Each structure stands twice: as C-alpha cells, then as structure tokens.
C-alpha cells in the first residue's frame, strides 16, 4: 500500500498536470480550432484556466472538474438537435420511475441522498443449517464499524435461500458459501453489495455505487472471499502461513520441502489460486486498493493476510514460469492446457493476480485512465461497470464526469469515455487496444469497451511518430486531430482463406518483408523508420517462445520439407568421407619401409588433402545450416523454394552466370504467390556463396531448390523423406576418430626421429597442420550436430507442443486482416478488425505507436 505522503503527492501531481494541460495545450487548441464559436467560453470554460491556476487546491479541483465536464459535453453534443443542447450524464428525474414495493425487504429501509447513508448486514450466529441476517440503515461509512466483503456474484440467477429481516431472500451460491464461512458464535456486521443495495432501484444503485470506494476505504477489514476450497488449496495456504523462512532467502523448493509440501503441489495450488474468478472481476481493483487496512484472504476455511500473499506471489510466479512444470501438463484446474496454445495464456492469470496485489492502495493514489484501460482483463455483469467499477481509482474530475448513472445507454457512456481518453489523456492507441467501434449510430471514434483490450504485441520500443501530446478536440461528434497521411491500401486479405496454400504464400511474403531490414519503404522511408524491425510475425504471436523464428517454419508443410536438403547433400557427404579416408596419415607398417624424409613428405601431402576435403565438408555443412535455419537473420530458402521459386531460381542462375533472357522463361513450377512491388533479392544467400567460394555449393543449392519446389507441387507432398543426417554425422565422426589416431602415431614418430638427430622441422610443421585439420574436422561434426538440432526442434517436439505454437499464431492472426499499400508497404491490422478495403488511407496520427486506417465516406455511408 502507498504511504499517505505518497498518496497526497500523487493527487496534487495529477491536479497540477490537469491545470497545466488545460492552460497550455487544450485551451489554445480549442480556441484555434473553433475560433468562430462565440459561445465556446461559456460552453466549456466558465473560467479560463489562467484565472484559477493560482487558486487553492479545493477551488482548483472544482474548476478542473467543471472545465473537463464542459469539454466532454461539447464533444457529445448532438449535431441533429442543435448546438445549444448537450447530452447530460446526470441522473434525469424523469427516469425515477422505480417504486419500492410495499412489504418488500427495502420498503422501510429507505436511504437519503442528502445524508449519503448506507445499509449494513448483521450476520447472525448459526442456529440451524440455514443463514439468518438482519439488514439495517446506518449512518455514513466513516462513522460505522463493519467488514466489507469482496467476492464474485457468479451466475446471474440466485438459487440459494437465506432469511433477511424475517423475509426469504434468494442469493447466489458463492455469496451463500461466503456467509456460511463467515458466521461466528456472535453476530457480525458486514457490508455486502448484493444485499445492502436495492439492486432493482437504478437511482439508488447509482449513488450507492458512487460511495463504494469510501465504503471499502472506511471498513474495519476487507474480506476477500475466493470461494470454496479444493483439493489443492491447503498446500498454498500452508506455505503462506508458515512461521519460518519469511525472508525468502532460500529457494522456493527448499522452503516448500521444510513445510512438507511437494514443489509441484505448491505450484499447482498457486496457479489455481490465480485462476480463481475473483481475479477476473472488474470491481476488485477498486475494492482492494481502496482498503485503508490490508485485506484478509479467505478460501473455504483457510485464511491468509495480504502481507504474506504479497511476500510470496513474486517468488512463486518466477518459480512457476521458469520451470514451466505446469505448462507441459494437460490441465491445471479449469484451464485446459492441452487446448490452450501459448505460454502467454498460461502466464496471463499469474500476471493479473500480481498486478492487483501490488497496485497502489489506500484510496487516494490516483491512476490514469489511459494506463488502466489497456490492462483490463476482467469481467462484469453490466458493461457500464467497465467505467463505474474503476471510477474510484481515478482522480476527482473523472469521478465527477462519470457519476454512476444506470439509466443512460451504453453508447452514451462509451462515447463519453472515448472523448476523455482521446482529448484529456491524448491516448490515440485506444484504437489498437479497443479495435471495435461502438455502433453505426455513433461516430466511428467511439470505442466498444465491453470487450477485453487487445494485448499490445510490439517488438519495438515505445517509439512514437512525433513524441508530443496528441492534441485533439471533438465537436458535434467530429474528431479533430493532426497527423500525416502515408499511403493508400492496394490489396487486403485474411489468413483463413479457403485456398490454404495461397494464404501461406501471402503470409510468407509478408513475413519476409517484416524480417528484411534492407527492404525499401518507398517515399515514406524516413517517416516510417521507427517501425523497422527484424522481428517476425511469429514474434508477435509467441512472445515467450524463446526464439524469433519466421512464421512459415511453424507450418506442417515446411516441417515436412526440412529433411530434403540433407537428402540432396547425403551423396556428397559420403563422397567427401571416402576422400578423407584416402587421406589418412601413414600407418606403422607403411613407415617401416620409408625413410623419415619420405614419410614426412607423404604425410604433408595427405594432411593438405585432408584439410581440403574437410573444408568442403565444412562448406556443405554451413550450407545445410543456412538453408534450414529459421532464424530471422537468415533468408527462408525452404519457403522461397515453395512460394518464390521463379525469382529465387532466377537469381541463383544469374549468380552462376547462366540466367535465361526472360524471367518468365525459367523452368519449373510455380506455387501461388503475392504480386508485390518489392521483390526479394536474397542478398544474404548470394553473399554467403561469394564468401565460401565453393562452386559446388551453387549446384547443391539449385538442386535443393528445384527438388523442394517439385515436391511441394506434388499431390503426395506429405510423404516424408528418409532422414540421412544421423548417418552423415556417424560417418564424419568415424573419420575424425581415425584421423585422431593417425595424428597420435605421427606425434610418436616425430619424437622418434628427434632421438635419431634427424631434421624434424618439416615433420613438426606437418604435425601442427594435421592438428589444425583435426580441429576443423571436429568443428564440422559439431556443426552437423547443430544442423540436426535445427530440424529436430520441430520434428522431435511433442505433437501437442507444436500444435500449441501453431495455435498461438492462429489465435493471434485469425481475426486480423493483412494489407499491402500502393507503395508496397506490408501491414497487419489489430485482431478483430477485418474491414480494410482497397483505397483506404493509412494515416499516422501524432503520438501514436502505430498508423491507423481511415476511410473517406460520402453522405450517410
């Protein structure tokens, strides 16, 4: 929890920021944009910010709220009813049609808005199997003594019966379980929203919800009820409530062992703890952070204090993610890991739980809406609670602007929230986090906040277009903002087309552009330089994959083709091995019939030949690694053989010096390909061939490319080529071992010749060269092993793990559209946005991470 001093500083900082923003940026921008609007001052700024900048804190706070409400009202003016009428977000007296039914539970328990009182629930001692309570009207929260309950409502239809003031009342199963758990031999005073607020009375619900931050803040204790215990609950709570190793200096495994808990049992219990529905509620952030006293955690009969939970959550998170013990399982609690694709989905609940536990608290540390809304991964029954459930975390001006009102429509509320985020928080990236517009009846800049935000997957640092606040204004539903027009979209497509091969081809071409740092970006190159990256599309989809492989390497088609290069190279490896065996150094029997000089001369010749053939093996091995590598610093030649065959083969033949006169005259088949303005050059491959200077490599590569292309066009392409790599490695290892023994004999002979006073300088040189050759041969074997590992990464992985990687990418891109601009710039849209069209304009607005797509409309379109 934040200290009181820190909380006060934060409140003053937020207020000072708002005053400075209104005075230095927003007011001048409005005045410049709407200079002809005579009533602007009266509609928005009854007092200009310059006039109240030096007022006291309370006066400034009030005037900031007035000015901000004026900005929001000006933005939400209805253009069809005249400029003089504003859309009000205050509670309309005409909507107060609800009448408490006579004889009902709340008939004699009315509340008074002028007093701002509330009700409390007395939980009576157990007298039978049922639950009995007494509901009463209390004064203001700060003058009462009570515990506040934080829990999950559960199913919308209550099914359990309790007695309140002698009247039967139906409640949810989870609340029933909580009340049963919290019963004591003496009565207990609680605040429970489902019972202390008349949920049928929208007017009462509005102003009582507005008090909730105060209610949780002034409670003697906040009780977080997680639900009934399960078979794994005891392990975690025993760990949390231990009396030793409180400094966590020992490892989690050692502490768990001293607690008599198995590490897998502990991690399973911890992960299931974070999967509890309580962590998914929108209200929990406010309820937890508002508490002035650290909450108590309750799960069935088990309890733990917040300090103990905070103490252990981070170390458990680290241990759980590092080991991935649970991620390799099929199921943890209700999370079906066999069906969940990515490591991100496994760690997401862990991160969310940690975020709640360590957010600033105490009720006066104000968060900023544009910081909170990208992170919200929580649910609520009423979508309006996306605003009202977080309202207590924000500054007073936000609370005033969004006073809970359950009588207004969702469109109106989200329009107001969009206005705040765009104008007051200048958060243009709201279009990425919330890609869906609210409705056709409202402006396109109004976002649908009822959906969870899209996680921001970006391999870039926080580089923005201009780096200054995005100044904007909204008037009569029209958003005025500044930015730069880039290019128009020329082609769009989705990855779930019926033609799977054509889709893979297009995806492959896009991936090559994304991963090629030397690609041209037409006339917008300098402007778009912050968006250049070597990261692939797969990097966006699999943030925790541990590697940055290209998206195409995860496709079954490519995984099946990984053996082809080694099958092509196998005869050459065998031929080179036979030449190596011919170069074996002289045996003892041979040396017996030769003079030292003759032996040294012949050994020198054979060592040179061995070095030559070892170099050929090294070059061929490097080529194999270059071809099958999936890293983004290499060109994907297997994918190119399938999806860019004419271009790749043409460039290889040109490098060889025998290219036909016309590109279309090239022999061989051609798989579906994307027409692109930016042809691939394969400069890295050509540089590699130039560096090696081995003419045979180009022949091998051409044969590999042609074989893969023919194989890909064959209807029986699913057939698996035999794996020769292991055999090649064994041959090379055998050759190295023989040569090692020969060198040992040569070293012995050199020592013998020294004893006879013969000139051994040439012999020592031969020995040194042979040692270098041996080192090169050993490195060749190691390289071949590494090459084999590149294949085994996908072919030997468990099937369900490979499926998770593939499913992760499908989950990331299946609801996205890809596009290419008229200048050849490739891009991918936010998940959920699939309405790109040719002719749409790509625009980069000030202070945004990504460009956005705009469409010019005519009339009522």
């Amino acid at each position: 929890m934040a200290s009181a001093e820190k909380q006060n500083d934060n409140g003053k900082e937020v207020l000072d920021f708002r005053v400075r923003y209104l005075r230095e940026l927003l007011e001048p921008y409005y005045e410049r944009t709407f200079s002809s609007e005579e009533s602007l001052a009266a509609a928005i700024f009854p007092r200009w910010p310059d006039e109240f900048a030096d007022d006291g804190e309370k006066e400034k706070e009030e005037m900031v709220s007035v000015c901000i409400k004026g900005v929001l009202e000006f933005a939400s003016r209805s253009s069809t009813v005249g400029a003089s009428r504003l859309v009000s977000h205050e509670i309309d007296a005409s909507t107060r049609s609800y009448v408490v039914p006579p004889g009902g539970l709340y008939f004699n328990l009315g509340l008074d808005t002028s007093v701002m009182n509330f009700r409390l629930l007395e939980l009576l001692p157990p007298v039978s199997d049922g639950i009995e309570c007494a509901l009463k009207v209390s004064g203001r929260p700060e003058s009462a003594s009570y515990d506040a309950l934080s829990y999950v409502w559960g199913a919308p239809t209550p099914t359990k019966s309790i007695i309140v003031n002698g009247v039967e009342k139906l409640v949810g199963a989870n609340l029933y379980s909580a009340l049963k758990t919290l019963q004591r031999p003496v009565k207990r005073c609680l605040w429970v929203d489902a019972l202390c607020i008349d949920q049928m009375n929208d007017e009462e619900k509005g102003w009582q919800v507005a008090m909730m931050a105060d209610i949780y803040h002034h409670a003697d204790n906040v009780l977080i009820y997680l639900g009934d215990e399960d078979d794994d609950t005891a392990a975690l709570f025993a760990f949390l409530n231990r009396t030793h190793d409180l400094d966590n200096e020992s490892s989690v495994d050692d502490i768990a062992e001293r607690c008599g808990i198995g590490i897998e049992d502990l991690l399973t219990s911890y992960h299931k703890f974070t999967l509890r529905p309580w962590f998914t509620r929108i209200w929990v952030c406010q309820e937890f952070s508002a508490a002035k006293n650290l909450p108590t955690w309750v799960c069935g009969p088990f309890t733990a204090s917040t300090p103990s939970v905070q103490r252990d959550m981070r170390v458990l998170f680290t241990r759980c993610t590092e080991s991935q013990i649970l991620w390799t399982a099929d199921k943890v609690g209700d999370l079906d890991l066999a069906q969940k694709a990515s490591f991100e989905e496994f760690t997401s609940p862990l991160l969310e739980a940690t975020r709640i536990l360590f957010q600033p608290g105490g009720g006066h540390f104000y968060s900023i809406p544009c910081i909170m809304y990208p992170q919200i991964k929580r649910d609520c029954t009423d979508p309006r609670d996306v605003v009202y459930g977080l309202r207590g975390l924000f500054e007073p001006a936000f609370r005033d602007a969004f006073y809970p009102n359950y009588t207004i429509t969702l469109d109106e509320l989200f329009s107001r929230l969009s206005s705040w985020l765009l104008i007051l928080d200048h958060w243009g990236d709201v279009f990425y986090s919330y890609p869906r517009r609210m409705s056709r009846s409202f402006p396109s800049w109004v976002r649908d906040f009822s959906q969870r935000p899209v996680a921001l997957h970006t391999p870039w640092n926080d580089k923005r277009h201009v780096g200054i606040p995005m100044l904007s204004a909204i008037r009569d539903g029209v958003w005025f903002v500044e930015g730069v027009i880039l290019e128009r979209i020329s082609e769009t497509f989705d990855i779930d087309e019926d033609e799977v091969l054509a889709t893979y081809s297009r995806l492959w071409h896009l991936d090559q552009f994304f991963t090629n740092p030397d690609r041209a970006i037409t006339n917008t190159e300098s402007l778009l330089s912050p968006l250049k990256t070597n990261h692939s599309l797969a990097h966006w989809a699999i943030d925790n994959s541990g590697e940055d492989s290209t998206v195409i390497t995860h496709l079954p088609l490519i995984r099946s083709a990984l053996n082809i290069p080694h099958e092509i190279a196998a005869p050459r490896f065998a031929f080179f091995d036979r030449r190596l065996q011919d170069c074996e150094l002289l045996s003892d029997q041979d040396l017996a019939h030769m003079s030292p000089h003759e032996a040294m001369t012949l050994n020198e010749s054979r060592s040179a030949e061995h070095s030559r053939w070892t170099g050929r093996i090294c070059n061929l091995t490097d080529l194999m690694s270059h071809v099958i590598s999936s890293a983004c610093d290499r060109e994907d030649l297997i994918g190119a053989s399938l999806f860019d065959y004419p271009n790749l083969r043409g460039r290889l033949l040109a490098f060889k010096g025998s290219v036909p006169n016309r590109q279309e005259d090239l022999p061989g088949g051609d798989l579906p390909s994307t027409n692109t303005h930016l042809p691939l050059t394969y400069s890295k491959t050509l540089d590699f061939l130039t560096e090696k200077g081995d003419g045979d490599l180009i022949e091998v590569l051409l044969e590999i490319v042609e074989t893969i292309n023919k194989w890909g066009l064959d209807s029986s392409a699913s057939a698996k080529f035999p794996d020769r790599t292991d055999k090649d490695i064994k041959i090379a290892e055998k050759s190295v071992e023989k040569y090692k023994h020969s060198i040992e004999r040569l070293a012995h002979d050199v020592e013998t010749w020294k004893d006879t006073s013969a000139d051994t300088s040439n012999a020592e040189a031969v020995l040194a060269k042979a040692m270098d050759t041996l080192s090169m041969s050993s490195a060749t074997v190691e390289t071949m092993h590494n090459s084999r590992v590149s294949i085994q990464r996908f072919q030997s992985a468990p099937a369900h793990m490979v499926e998770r990687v593939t499913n992760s990418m499908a989950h990331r891109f299946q609801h996205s559209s890809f596009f290419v601009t008229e200048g050849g710039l490739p891009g991918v849209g936010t998940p959920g946005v699939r309405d790109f069209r040719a002719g749409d304009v790509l625009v980069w607005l000030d202070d945004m991470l990504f460009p956005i797509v705009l469409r010019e409309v005519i009339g009522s379109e």
Side-chain angles (χ1 to χ4, degrees):
M1 295 292 179
S3 66
E5 181 180 355
K6 178 64 176 176
Q7 294 154 10
N8 292 335
D9 287 347
N10 169 261
K12 185 177 185 301
E13 288 172 4
V14 172
L15 180 60
D16 289 343
F17 165 76
R18 292 299 180 199
V19 173
R20 187 168 59 253
Y21 178 67
L22 289 171
R23 179 177 60 183
E24 298 177 3
L25 297 176
L26 196 60
E27 177 195 321
Y29 187 81
Y30 266 73
E31 193 170 17
R32 173 165 60 88
T33 307
F34 307 115
S35 56
S36 62
E37 177 64 51
E38 297 179 358
S39 60
L40 180 65
I44 301 180
F45 303 109
R47 286 182 65 197
W48 293 106
D50 277 332
E51 299 175 7
F52 62 77
D54 297 327
D55 289 355
E57 297 299 307
K58 184 174 179 60
E59 291 76 11
K60 276 197 297 187
E61 189 174 281
E62 291 175 354
M63 286 310 304
V64 165
S65 292
V66 170
C67 289
I68 286 179
K69 288 172 75 173
V71 169
L72 298 179
E73 300 297 351
F74 189 72
S76 59
R77 280 197 315 190
S78 172
S79 58
T80 60
V81 296
S84 61
R85 182 174 176 181
L86 303 180
V87 179
S88 175
H89 285 254
E90 303 296 336
I91 297 177
D92 187 348
S94 64
T95 65
R96 301 176 182 177
S97 57
Y98 179 79
V99 177
V100 180
L105 176 61
Y106 301 97
F107 185 71
N108 294 316
L109 296 172
L111 299 178
D112 188 350
T113 56
S114 64
V115 180
M116 298 299 287
N117 55 356
F118 73 135
R119 302 184 187 95
L120 288 173
L121 183 75
E122 290 184 345
L123 180 61
L124 302 180
V127 293
S128 62
D129 290 339
I131 297 175
E132 293 189 19
C133 307
L135 191 63
K136 65 179 183 179
V137 175
S138 182
R140 295 177 61 87
E142 57 266 33
S143 62
S145 177
Y146 60 95
D147 293 337
L149 182 63
S150 177
Y151 68 106
V152 175
W153 275 43
T157 303
T159 58
K160 294 288 188 177
S161 175
I162 65 173
I163 303 299
V164 182
N165 292 358
V167 177
E168 183 180 13
K169 176 74 172 176
L170 291 179
V171 298
N174 193 51
L175 176 54
Y176 184 92
S177 176
L179 295 175
K180 198 72 177 173
T181 298
L182 296 175
Q183 278 186 320
R184 297 291 183 266
V186 296
K187 68 180 181 180
R188 188 171 191 175
C189 195
L190 302 172
W191 186 84
V192 182
D193 59 351
L195 296 171
C196 295
I197 300 175
D198 184 355
Q199 298 295 326
M200 300 300 296
N201 188 338
D202 283 343
E203 178 192 350
E204 178 186 301
K205 185 164 65 172
W207 66 271
Q208 284 285 289
V209 165
M211 291 176 58
M212 283 182 61
D214 287 336
I215 291 174
Y216 279 93
H217 178 68
H218 291 291
D220 298 333
N221 193 13
V222 172
L223 305 173
I224 298 174
Y225 184 74
L226 300 175
D228 293 329
E229 77 278 11
D230 58 31
D231 294 339
D232 299 304
T233 303
L236 176 63
F237 279 83
F239 187 81
L240 296 174
N241 292 318
R242 66 185 183 275
T243 58
H244 54 82
D245 295 296
L246 302 183
D247 52 10
N248 278 331
E249 291 187 356
S250 299
S251 68
V252 173
D253 299 57
D254 291 341
I255 299 174
E257 184 178 359
R258 287 193 282 273
C259 291
I261 306 169
I263 185 61
E264 187 167 344
D265 293 336
L266 175 60
L267 296 182
T268 299
S269 182
Y270 157 67
H271 197 277
K272 292 175 70 172
F273 173 84
T274 64
L275 290 172
R276 292 277 179 170
W278 183 87
F279 290 101
T280 68
R281 289 182 61 239
I282 195 75
W283 289 96
V284 300
C285 294
Q286 176 177 268
E287 294 167 359
F288 181 84
S289 65
K292 65 180 179 183
N293 298 317
L294 296 172
T296 299
W297 299 77
V298 183
C299 186
F302 303 102
T303 64
S305 66
T306 291
S308 64
V309 176
Q310 290 175 329
R311 177 196 65 211
D312 293 335
M313 282 300 104
R314 282 188 172 136
V315 294
L316 288 172
F317 172 84
T318 302
R319 179 65 178 88
C320 195
T321 54
E322 284 180 349
S323 68
Q324 300 185 18
I325 289 176
L326 304 182
W327 191 45
T328 58
D330 290 332
K331 196 175 182 66
V332 175
D334 294 329
L335 182 64
D336 190 351
L337 292 178
Q339 300 300 318
K340 295 295 182 179
S342 69
F343 185 68
E344 177 189 356
E345 288 172 297
F346 169 72
T347 58
S348 180
L350 280 62
L351 289 169
E352 287 303 307
T354 304
R355 182 178 291 121
I356 292 174
L357 282 165
F358 292 98
Q359 66 182 347
H364 296 293
F365 192 97
Y366 304 132
S367 184
I368 305 297
C370 67
I371 295 176
M372 285 294 296
Y373 276 98
Q375 304 174 11
I376 299 171
K377 295 182 179 180
R378 300 178 183 90
D379 304 316
C380 53
T381 304
D382 190 325
R384 287 170 290 196
D385 288 337
V386 169
V387 179
Y388 302 146
L390 297 174
R391 172 181 172 272
L393 300 175
F394 303 137
E395 63 198 271
F398 188 96
R399 300 185 192 190
D400 289 344
F402 293 93
Y403 195 87
N405 181 357
Y406 288 90
T407 67
I408 66 172
T409 67
L410 196 60
D411 289 348
E412 292 173 327
L413 182 61
F414 286 174
S415 173
R416 195 173 181 86
L417 179 59
S418 298
S419 299
W420 177 290
L421 294 171
L422 291 172
I423 302 174
L424 298 167
D425 283 0
H426 40 85
W427 182 38
D429 293 314
V430 65
F431 295 102
Y432 186 97
S433 295
Y434 295 92
R436 296 185 181 180
R437 67 181 294 181
M438 190 58 210
S439 69
R440 292 287 177 179
S441 60
F442 268 67
S444 58
W445 51 263
V446 178
R447 302 290 88 193
D448 181 4
F449 296 98
S450 64
Q451 306 293 321
R452 288 191 174 190
V454 174
L456 185 62
H457 292 260
T458 170
W460 299 278
N461 293 327
D462 192 5
K463 299 177 180 177
R464 299 179 181 269
H465 165 38
V466 176
I468 61 174
M470 182 187 67
L471 295 177
S472 64
I474 301 174
R475 174 184 176 181
D476 297 343
V478 179
W479 182 34
F480 295 79
V481 67
E482 299 177 1
V484 178
I485 296 177
L486 302 179
E487 296 178 349
R488 289 186 180 272
I489 291 177
S490 61
E491 181 185 7
T492 67
F493 62 94
D494 305 323
I495 69 166
D496 57 351
E497 296 175 345
D498 294 335
E499 292 291 333
V500 177
L501 201 58
T503 301
Y504 285 169
S505 175
R506 292 184 169 190
L507 188 60
W508 181 87
H509 276 88
L510 277 174
D511 209 31
Q512 300 313 298
F513 291 137
F514 274 119
T515 58
N516 183 0
D518 300 322
R519 67 189 185 279
I521 313 187
T522 66
N523 60 324
T524 59
E525 180 171 3
S526 60
L527 179 65
L528 295 178
S529 58
L531 289 183
K532 282 192 174 184
T533 174
N534 292 344
H535 291 288
S536 70
L537 300 181
H539 180 93
W540 298 1
I542 320 168
D543 274 353
N544 294 282
S545 64
E547 61 186 48
D548 193 11
S549 53
T550 54
V551 68
I552 205 70
T553 59
H554 296 280
L555 302 177
L557 180 68
I558 300 302
R559 291 176 55 235
S560 299
L562 287 174
N563 280 315
I564 295 179
H566 280 286
E567 177 65 19
I568 299 297
R572 286 175 171 82
F573 276 119
F575 174 77
F576 294 158
D577 177 68
R578 288 194 296 272
R579 292 296 176 266
L580 285 176
Q581 293 182 30
D582 293 341
C583 300
E584 186 177 352
L585 298 181
L586 297 175
S587 65
D588 294 335
Q589 186 177 1
D590 295 329
L591 291 172
H593 300 89
M594 294 184 182
S595 68
H597 178 72
E598 291 175 325
M600 284 186 290
T601 301
L602 189 55
N603 273 333
E604 183 176 4
S605 173
R606 292 192 174 187
S607 179
E609 281 295 294
H610 195 284
S611 179
R612 173 192 171 195
W613 292 111
T614 299
R616 298 290 298 276
I617 289 179
C618 285
N619 286 343
L620 189 58
T621 302
D622 288 344
L623 178 65
M624 294 299 99
S625 178
H626 185 88
V627 170
I628 69 174
S629 173
S630 65
C632 284
D633 61 346
R634 306 273 182 97
E635 288 158 332
D636 184 8
L637 295 181
I638 292 182
S641 302
L642 291 166
F643 304 121
D644 197 33
Y645 175 70
N647 179 39
L648 172 60
R649 187 172 183 274
R651 293 184 183 278
L652 292 177
L653 289 174
F655 178 82
K656 183 182 177 183
S658 60
V659 64
N661 292 329
R662 296 179 54 190
Q663 181 84 2
E664 53 266 32
D665 292 337
L666 292 172
D670 182 21
L671 290 175
S673 176
T674 298
N675 295 325
T676 168
H677 301 282
L678 300 176
L680 298 167
T681 62
Y682 301 104
S683 58
K684 293 178 182 178
T685 297
L686 300 182
D687 289 344
F688 168 83
L689 294 172
T690 301
E691 178 187 352
K692 294 300 179 182
D694 187 342
D696 187 52
L697 293 185
I698 184 67
E699 300 292 342
V700 177
L701 184 54
L702 277 168
E703 186 177 353
I704 289 172
V705 168
E706 292 168 357
T707 303
I708 291 176
N709 181 263
K710 182 180 179 181
W711 171 84
L713 289 171
D714 194 339
S715 59
S716 60
S718 60
K720 185 177 180 181
F721 277 69
D723 186 2
R724 293 287 300 271
T725 313
D726 289 336
K727 182 178 180 181
D728 297 336
I729 292 175
K730 290 178 180 179
I731 292 174
E733 287 176 337
K734 184 178 179 181
S735 175
V736 169
E737 192 64 26
K738 285 184 178 180
Y739 198 62
K740 181 179 178 182
H741 291 315
S742 298
I743 290 176
E744 290 175 351
R745 289 197 302 271
L746 177 60
H748 177 268
D749 294 338
V750 169
E751 293 300 320
T752 302
W753 295 332
K754 283 182 179 180
D755 293 339
T756 62
S757 301
D759 183 6
T760 60
S761 57
N762 288 339
E764 291 174 350
V766 171
L767 178 61
K769 187 173 182 179
M771 293 292 292
D772 291 339
T773 303
L774 176 63
S775 177
M776 186 184 300
S777 301
S778 300
T780 299
V781 173
E782 182 179 356
T783 302
M784 295 175 73
H785 274 294
N786 293 337
S787 176
R788 178 61 179 144
V789 169
S790 296
I791 297 178
Q792 289 177 332
R793 246 187 338 207
F794 298 109
Q795 291 185 332
S796 65
H800 72 281
M801 294 295 290
V802 175
E803 290 173 4
R804 288 184 197 174
V805 173
T806 305
N807 292 341
S808 180
M809 286 187 297
H811 177 74
R812 175 68 180 87
F813 294 120
Q814 67 182 346
H815 299 300
S816 300
S817 285
F818 291 84
F819 64 83
V820 179
T821 68
E822 293 173 346
L825 179 70
V828 58
T830 303
V833 177
R834 311 195 70 165
D835 193 26
F836 296 147
R837 302 178 193 171
D840 287 348
V841 181
L842 198 64
V843 177
W844 207 351
L845 303 180
D846 291 351
D847 200 42
M848 290 186 66
L849 280 174
F850 300 103
I852 65 172
V853 174
L854 298 182
R855 177 172 304 147
E856 301 175 47
V857 297
I858 301 176
S860 60
E861 181 182 355

